[in-house]
Amino acid sequence: MNSIAPPARIMPDALARFGATLFAAAGLEAEKARTVAEILVLTDMMGRHTHGMAQCPAYLEQILGGGMAGAGEPEVVRDLGGTVVWDGGYLPGLWLMDRALALGFKRLPQHGVFTLAMRRSHHIGCLAALARQATERGLYAMIASSGPHTKFVAPFGGKQGLFSPNPFCFAFPAGRTPVLVDACASITTVSMTREKAAAGELFEHEWLLDSAGRPTRDPRVMERPDDRGSLMLLGGEEYGHKGFGLALMVEALTQGLSGHGRREAPTRWGASVYLQLIDPDAFAGREAFEAQTGFLAEQCHANPPIDPARPVRLPGEQAERSIERHRRDGVALSARTAAALRDWAGRLGVEASLPPA
């Protein structure tokens, strides 16, 4: 059996095939396995490594343990054409979102705006990697996700976790590269906190609160089940009410509109999701839209930089450069991720040829 030998770089197609083989061996249907692997690899190519192939071991555990359903279709709870509600049945979130986007693209010519709310999806990964599909078609997209089973972020003024980080993304074409804004209501994420804790590192700034509500750099405060801290809201000690507002917005869009959330007190890893697609042709027109967004991008780039060595760049530009670089040079997996994939290949009896780029 061949294995991944860091720091070798692996061409994206080969890495996606390997990931799909692992997922299929664990029990995902072939199409689902392929879609999940391809989006995870794209996420790595965008430079969002905590949500790329590093998620593969956790997904495999979920598939084998029954936390992620390996087969089936989403249940249509309501369909009014331009608005849809799905129950994802804990099917792979990346596959569900790929299907939801495809449905939206199909319906936009008739409705102009397409909105989908989904309950009981599994983890949907990097939102920007999903929204990018819309910008490639000249569309505006907004995606939000919450984990009603998790309580890692305290409300502003509180000290006990209540929310998940509640990520949200909006994206639109703007000249040379799309704008991709992918943020969350907390300053940092659960994945980054776990990564820091495992490496024995502190955060550069006080981005967490201990169980008494005191700011700290120590990620280990999130590892104490009986005395756990929380992730600090966007805006920090002084302006965390802004992150609090964003958290509430995401909860309403994802759990309120899908009709499933904290009130039901789910205990398994999953997500409530909101997706909205907007076709500029249903408004002033795509040409007018891109003229405005392209002009705005040019004005941002022309703005005199504070540091001449660091000119203004728009969110999404670094990701596009990263995709091109990884497409050309291959994807480098961290030693930790490579070792985990090597271990899973052995456990599942998977043979895969992963030649370095």
Side-chain angles (χ1 to χ4, degrees):
M1 179 179 65
N2 295 314
S3 61
I4 305 171
R9 288 181 173 271
I10 303 155
M11 294 307 293
D13 288 349
L15 183 57
R17 285 194 297 272
F18 175 65
T21 303
L22 287 177
F23 289 131
L28 277 193
E29 292 178 326
E31 180 199 357
K32 295 176 174 63
R34 183 172 59 254
T35 299
V36 171
E38 288 174 351
I39 297 175
L40 289 180
V41 171
L42 173 61
T43 301
D44 271 317
M45 293 172 70
M46 294 174 69
R48 315 290 175 87
H49 298 295
T50 58
H51 284 62
M53 288 296 284
Q55 291 289 332
C56 191
Y59 285 8
L60 291 168
E61 289 280 7
Q62 286 284 296
I63 297 164
L64 291 177
M68 181 188 292
E73 297 288 330
E75 175 191 348
V76 178
V77 179
R78 178 171 294 178
D79 188 344
L80 300 179
T83 58
V84 176
V85 179
W86 279 358
D87 186 321
Y90 294 103
L91 287 158
L94 294 174
W95 176 79
L96 284 167
M97 290 303 292
D98 190 71
R99 289 285 301 276
L101 285 162
L103 179 63
F105 300 152
K106 181 179 178 181
R107 293 195 178 180
L108 276 178
Q110 178 182 357
H111 297 284
V113 177
F114 173 81
T115 306
L116 179 141
M118 177 163 50
R119 62 180 74 161
R120 300 198 318 145
S121 168
H122 207 283
H123 186 241
I124 68 169
C126 173
L127 309 192
L130 298 166
R132 189 172 175 272
Q133 289 191 39
T135 64
E136 290 175 335
R137 292 166 171 80
L139 307 173
Y140 178 100
M142 180 178 176
I143 302 173
S145 175
S146 62
H149 64 297
T150 57
K151 298 180 178 181
F152 291 129
V153 183
F156 188 60
K159 61 182 182 180
Q160 184 175 13
L162 174 62
F163 305 117
S164 55
N166 288 6
F168 58 91
C169 170
F170 59 89
F172 55 88
R176 291 174 295 174
T177 59
V179 167
L180 297 170
V181 177
D182 191 341
C184 59
S186 57
I187 295 178
T188 189
T189 65
V190 176
S191 295
M192 184 58 70
T193 301
R194 288 172 175 165
E195 191 174 281
K196 290 281 189 183
E201 299 174 353
L202 298 176
F203 279 99
E204 186 177 354
H205 303 286
E206 294 178 333
W207 287 348
L208 304 101
L209 300 173
D210 66 16
S211 60
R214 296 173 299 223
T216 179
R217 296 168 55 206
D218 188 355
R220 293 174 298 175
V221 300
M222 300 299 295
E223 304 292 315
R224 303 166 185 162
D226 299 324
D227 191 33
R228 192 168 68 188
S230 60
L231 306 180
M232 188 178 285
L233 282 160
L234 197 65
E237 283 189 281
E238 288 186 306
Y239 299 107
H241 60 281
K242 297 185 177 183
F244 185 26
L246 290 172
L248 292 171
M249 177 191 74
V250 171
E251 297 271 317
L253 290 174
T254 60
Q255 299 175 33
L257 294 184
S258 73
H260 178 85
R262 301 192 187 282
R263 186 173 183 274
E264 286 70 34
T267 57
R268 61 196 287 183
W269 187 11
S272 295
V273 181
Y274 174 85
L275 165 68
Q276 185 171 66
L277 300 172
I278 299 176
D279 186 351
D281 277 337
F283 294 84
R286 189 164 303 187
E287 184 177 345
F289 181 83
E290 294 189 5
Q292 293 292 334
T293 60
F295 178 81
L296 180 61
E298 291 172 1
Q299 292 292 292
C300 290
H301 290 139
N303 200 278
I306 297 170
D307 179 356
R310 301 175 64 187
V312 174
R313 63 176 172 84
L314 294 173
E317 290 179 349
Q318 186 173 340
E320 291 301 309
R321 288 195 294 269
S322 181
I323 289 172
E324 289 304 314
R325 184 174 67 254
H326 286 100
R327 187 175 287 136
R328 180 185 65 245
D329 301 332
V331 178
L333 298 173
S334 71
R336 183 179 177 190
T337 298
L341 294 179
R342 188 164 54 237
D343 177 65
W344 272 101
R347 290 168 63 179
L348 295 170
V350 167
E351 294 189 7
S353 177
L354 295 173

